[in-house]
Amino acid sequence: MPTRPAPPTDTRSRIVDAAARLLGEEGRDAVTTRGVAERAGVQAPAIYRLFGDKDGLLDAVAEHVLATYVAAKAAVVGSAAADGVDPLEDLRAGWRTQIDFGLANPEVFRLLSDPDRGPRSPAAEAGWSVLTARVHRLAEAGRLRVAEGRAVALVHAAGTGAVLTLLATPPGQRDLGVADALLEAVLGQVLTDAPVARHAEDAAGGGVVAAAVALRALAPRLEALSGAERALLRDWLDRVVDAAPPAD
């Protein structure tokens, strides 16, 4: 039979651990000063001294749970990039993990979805950075047709909405396919049908050349640039194409 991890030794960690267990087992209403103090084996004044009030304690609990989760996600993203995992599959895997986290930690997810709480969370900010890294890999692969920041915002908004919708539905009536459908709808808005460019090291395969040729063809329509700037851009792209090794 697996053994339970040893309880934290310092007072603050004991309180956060006790509150996190109460939150997960019995919900937000169970996280009272008296209940947490009893479970943590401390006096109630210690909670006020360390966290100020119940809201401060709840913020600390949400941060603790999310920080553990985000650290694991960051390691996965780094591994995926190093191992050459397809960036689209990596994004889909991250999406599924996020949905699972929200459904497994409903109270924490609701706390962090509160616009008055979430922006204050370093762990939530770190989670945003992980999503940004995943989207950036798609951009590097030539798969985005919108700005990276817009793609990140769309994926994040869809993920938050999907979890909150599922949490508002009785467990036995939840259609988990709704989350997948939302992701595919967003991907349809932000992705190209096929990669336009690949990493620089794939130049011999023609990916970079194909991107240069495509942009060269669109250069006359780039009205944000002056005529001289468009001419210079065409010249640069011609040089990229001319410098590429001949196709087999």
Side-chain angles (χ1 to χ4, degrees):
M1 215 177 148
T3 57
R4 292 186 64 179
T9 55
D10 66 281
T11 301
R12 189 181 195 282
S13 295
R14 288 211 318 276
I15 293 171
V16 171
D17 182 67
R21 284 187 280 118
L22 275 173
L23 185 68
E25 295 168 7
E26 302 179 36
R28 182 171 175 170
D29 290 343
V31 185
T32 64
T33 302
R34 179 177 178 180
V36 172
E38 288 179 354
R39 183 168 289 206
V42 301
Q43 298 297 314
I47 296 177
Y48 293 111
R49 176 171 54 82
L50 291 169
F51 303 99
D53 54 19
K54 179 178 175 178
D55 279 347
L57 175 58
L58 286 171
D59 284 342
V61 169
E63 191 71 15
H64 168 70
V65 175
L66 185 62
T68 302
Y69 165 69
V70 167
K73 279 208 308 181
V76 169
V77 172
S79 175
D83 296 342
V85 174
D86 178 76
L88 181 54
E89 291 309 307
D90 183 41
L91 179 65
R92 285 196 171 106
W95 171 276
R96 289 190 290 270
T97 301
Q98 177 73 4
I99 299 299
D100 290 344
F101 171 83
L103 296 180
N105 301 274
E107 296 295 342
V108 170
F109 194 88
R110 289 189 182 100
L111 284 171
L112 292 167
S113 299
D114 182 341
D116 292 329
R117 290 180 182 273
R120 303 199 308 262
S121 167
E125 185 176 344
W128 184 276
S129 297
V130 171
L131 175 57
T132 298
R134 282 191 159 109
V135 171
H136 183 65
R137 292 190 64 224
L138 282 169
E140 287 183 325
R143 294 302 311 269
L144 288 186
R145 59 172 160 185
V146 300
E148 289 182 49
R150 182 176 178 81
V152 170
L154 285 169
V155 173
H156 181 268
T160 300
V163 173
L164 291 177
T165 298
L166 290 170
L167 289 176
T169 306
Q173 300 175 27
R174 289 174 185 168
D175 178 4
L176 299 181
V178 168
D180 290 336
L182 269 173
L183 176 61
E184 294 309 315
V186 170
L187 293 180
Q189 292 293 312
V190 305
L191 295 184
T192 59
D193 292 333
V196 175
R198 301 184 186 278
H199 295 290
E201 60 265 28
D202 292 334
V208 171
V209 175
V213 171
L215 185 55
R216 174 67 172 77
L218 292 171
R221 293 162 50 188
L222 300 178
E223 296 180 356
L225 302 179
S226 68
E229 289 169 336
R230 290 196 293 271
L232 182 59
L233 176 62
R234 289 195 298 270
D235 179 62
W236 286 342
L237 293 169
D238 285 341
R239 288 163 59 187
V240 170
V241 174
D242 291 342
D248 293 336

